[in-house]
Amino acid sequence: MNRLRVTPGPVLALTVVWLATRALMLWLLAHGGERLLGGGSVAREVWRLYVHWYGVLSHGAFPAHDTTWQYPPGAGLVLLAPGLLPWLTYFQAFVVLTLAADALVTRALVRAGRRPGRSLLGAAVWTGGLPLLLYMPLVRYDVQVTALAVVSLLTLGRSARAGGVYGALGALVKVWPALVLLGTPRGRTTRTAWVWGLGAGAGALALLATSFDNSLAFLRQQGGRGVQIESLGGTALNLGRHAGWHGRVRYQYGAIEMVGPHVAAVATASLGLTAAAFGLLLLWRVRARQWNEATPFDAALSAVLLFTVTSRVISPQYMIWLLGLAAVCLTSRCTSQRPVALLVLAASALSSVAFPMYYREVVDGTWTGCLLMLGRNGLLVAAAVLSFVRLWRSARPPSGMSLPETEPRPDSDRLQDRALSVS
């Protein structure tokens, strides 16, 4: 039997680019004190905030009275992980583990892209796209969360159980990975993934609740959040400062938020839009008639985009999630999200100009800062709308054609058929 062979050239090139770009990111991190690189404010989250949380978590409790603690209990394990490398400082160990998670994502995308009928474009987008965010990904734990979501999606086709478990573990760290299970094919795959996901999530949550005090304290802080300056609502209010709106910015709940007249109404509108986005996704789920191997990937990207643009908070690190999901989509030649991935890349590049390079302009509400955020958020809105439209169309049969609702066949079945045809 003949075997399909993949030349090592593209993989070797990706490896070289990964090493070069990550070296550049580390160099930028070492020079993060420069004004255009944030003046040291970007990395401060690790060596000041994360270290503080590490001290509290080490004593068996979550930081219940800290308004900046707004994360599910699984995040505590990620923040405790640098303690596994005691010969390094906390900051050094955190960066090393983040790079390891980055390498894991790259390896998973390469492995998926080397399968018959797949593409290495996803690995290329992740490898080249993450440095567009400068060195910020190295000092946030969103790479680790994205790794769980990426692995969940890429394992669904081979093991719905494993895909569900990884998705649940990701949700326990930062909620949004629960959305990656939205596009699982109807029938056995969905039942298996969701049941195992719910079981693993409930079990892990119970274990964390018995091991740490105040495991659900994050809900109080999360519920008190307002309108962050980089959100769609925040951008509108920031522009309103030039039209006579008498509001201002304030650092609270770990972010720069808008305070003043009509802020509560904007926050309520954001929550309403999020609910509407959820309704659209449920409607797609009910009306969808066609699934292919890329449908779960495309649905995950569309869902996270919709929830991102309607959120009261659009932090720069959210772009890491979108880059990871876009990369997963591009591992399949069946994806409908190629133009969406281009918009995500453009938004990532513009996001870095806004933060950290010209963040002072954003906070001060200058025209430069407002236009930067308007451009970044405009790209994200365009990406979200285009993503959902293309997802909707890809799941509907052509006019006049009725197709049975079937699950995509597992990779093992397709390979078996290929082998029989060759022999």
Side-chain angles (χ1 to χ4, degrees), residues 156-161 183-193 285 288-296 403-411 413-414:
L156 273 174
R158 291 174 293 153
S159 173
R161 294 178 181 179
T184 52
R186 289 188 184 136
R188 184 178 58 186
T189 299
T190 289
R191 289 193 298 272
T192 302
R285 174 90 194 175
R289 292 295 179 268
Q290 291 189 109
W291 263 265
N292 59 51
E293 66 177 15
T295 301
L403 295 177
E405 300 177 19
T406 57
E407 298 187 34
R409 301 176 68 193
D411 290 344
D413 290 353
R414 291 197 297 271

Side-chain angles (χ1 to χ4, degrees), residues 238-363:
N238 222 4
L239 282 167
R241 296 163 78 178
H242 294 277
W245 178 67
H246 301 294
R248 65 187 191 280
V249 298
R250 177 191 296 168
Y251 180 80
Q252 57 187 15
Y253 291 96
I256 302 295
E257 295 187 349
M258 311 300 294
V259 294
H262 313 302
V263 172
V266 171
T268 301
S270 295
L271 292 172
L273 288 172
T274 298
F278 186 68
L280 279 176
L281 291 166
L282 287 180
L283 181 62
W284 167 81
R285 174 90 194 175
V286 171
R287 298 286 299 274
R289 292 295 179 268
Q290 291 189 109
W291 263 265
N292 59 51
E293 66 177 15
T295 301
F297 308 162
D298 296 352
L301 176 59
S302 185
V304 176
L305 268 169
L306 286 171
F307 275 79
T308 296
V309 298
T310 60
S311 173
R312 295 170 294 170
V313 180
I314 307 180
S315 297
Q317 57 265 32
Y318 289 15
M319 302 308 303
I320 300 172
W321 315 346
L322 301 176
L323 284 170
L325 295 177
V328 173
C329 291
L330 294 181
T331 62
S332 173
R333 300 183 190 276
C334 302
T335 183
S336 64
Q337 304 293 303
R338 287 188 182 88
V340 178
L342 291 176
L343 291 174
V344 169
L345 287 169
S348 299
L350 195 54
S351 183
S352 293
V353 179
F355 178 87
M357 298 178 69
Y358 289 95
Y359 196 56
R360 175 47 55 188
E361 302 283 338
V362 175
V363 173

Side-chain angles (χ1 to χ4, degrees), residues 101-404:
D102 175 16
L104 173 65
V105 172
T106 307
R107 183 180 183 278
L109 291 168
V110 167
R111 185 177 180 184
R114 294 184 68 179
R115 292 178 192 151
R118 295 294 188 92
S119 171
L120 287 172
L121 185 56
V125 164
W126 174 260
T127 300
L130 201 63
L132 293 176
L133 299 172
L134 304 180
Y135 65 97
M136 185 268 294
L138 298 180
V139 286
R140 298 293 187 274
Y141 75 88
D142 295 84
V143 173
Q144 289 88 323
V145 181
T146 303
L148 288 168
V150 167
V151 172
S152 173
L153 285 170
L154 293 179
T155 56
L156 273 174
R158 291 174 293 153
S159 173
R161 294 178 181 179
V165 170
Y166 283 121
L169 294 179
L172 277 178
V173 177
K174 219 167 189 181
V175 180
W176 69 265
L179 295 172
V180 304
L181 300 179
L182 178 72
T184 52
R186 289 188 184 136
R188 184 178 58 186
T189 299
T190 289
R191 289 193 298 272
T192 302
W194 291 11
V195 167
W196 277 78
L198 288 171
L205 181 61
L207 181 61
L208 288 167
T210 57
S211 303
F212 295 87
D213 295 331
N214 308 314
S215 58
L216 298 181
F218 75 98
L219 294 173
R220 180 170 58 253
Q221 276 72 252
Q222 187 62 241
R225 296 200 72 167
V227 179
Q228 189 215 25
I229 195 171
E230 294 168 82
S231 66
L232 287 180
T235 299
L237 292 171
N238 222 4
L239 282 167
R241 296 163 78 178
H242 294 277
W245 178 67
H246 301 294
R248 65 187 191 280
V249 298
R250 177 191 296 168
Y251 180 80
Q252 57 187 15
Y253 291 96
I256 302 295
E257 295 187 349
M258 311 300 294
V259 294
H262 313 302
V263 172
V266 171
T268 301
S270 295
L271 292 172
L273 288 172
T274 298
F278 186 68
L280 279 176
L281 291 166
L282 287 180
L283 181 62
W284 167 81
R285 174 90 194 175
V286 171
R287 298 286 299 274
R289 292 295 179 268
Q290 291 189 109
W291 263 265
N292 59 51
E293 66 177 15
T295 301
F297 308 162
D298 296 352
L301 176 59
S302 185
V304 176
L305 268 169
L306 286 171
F307 275 79
T308 296
V309 298
T310 60
S311 173
R312 295 170 294 170
V313 180
I314 307 180
S315 297
Q317 57 265 32
Y318 289 15
M319 302 308 303
I320 300 172
W321 315 346
L322 301 176
L323 284 170
L325 295 177
V328 173
C329 291
L330 294 181
T331 62
S332 173
R333 300 183 190 276
C334 302
T335 183
S336 64
Q337 304 293 303
R338 287 188 182 88
V340 178
L342 291 176
L343 291 174
V344 169
L345 287 169
S348 299
L350 195 54
S351 183
S352 293
V353 179
F355 178 87
M357 298 178 69
Y358 289 95
Y359 196 56
R360 175 47 55 188
E361 302 283 338
V362 175
V363 173
D364 291 342
T366 67
W367 277 112
T368 299
C370 288
L371 291 176
L372 281 172
M373 293 314 308
L374 190 63
R376 197 280 302 266
N377 289 339
L379 286 170
L380 287 179
V381 170
V385 173
L386 181 62
S387 177
F388 184 75
V389 169
R390 292 178 72 88
L391 174 70
W392 182 277
R393 290 176 177 172
S394 69
R396 303 292 295 173
S399 179
M401 180 181 295
S402 178
L403 295 177

Side-chain angles (χ1 to χ4, degrees), residues 52-121:
H52 167 67
W53 288 342
Y54 176 84
V56 177
L57 290 163
S58 298
H59 290 85
F62 290 96
H65 303 293
D66 187 343
T67 58
T68 60
W69 177 256
Q70 301 151 15
Y71 310 107
L77 299 181
V78 177
L79 298 173
L80 284 170
L84 299 174
L85 306 176
W87 56 91
L88 299 175
T89 67
Y90 184 89
F91 186 90
Q92 292 170 339
F94 185 89
V95 172
V96 167
L97 292 177
T98 303
L99 282 171
D102 175 16
L104 173 65
V105 172
T106 307
R107 183 180 183 278
L109 291 168
V110 167
R111 185 177 180 184
R114 294 184 68 179
R115 292 178 192 151
R118 295 294 188 92
S119 171
L120 287 172
L121 185 56

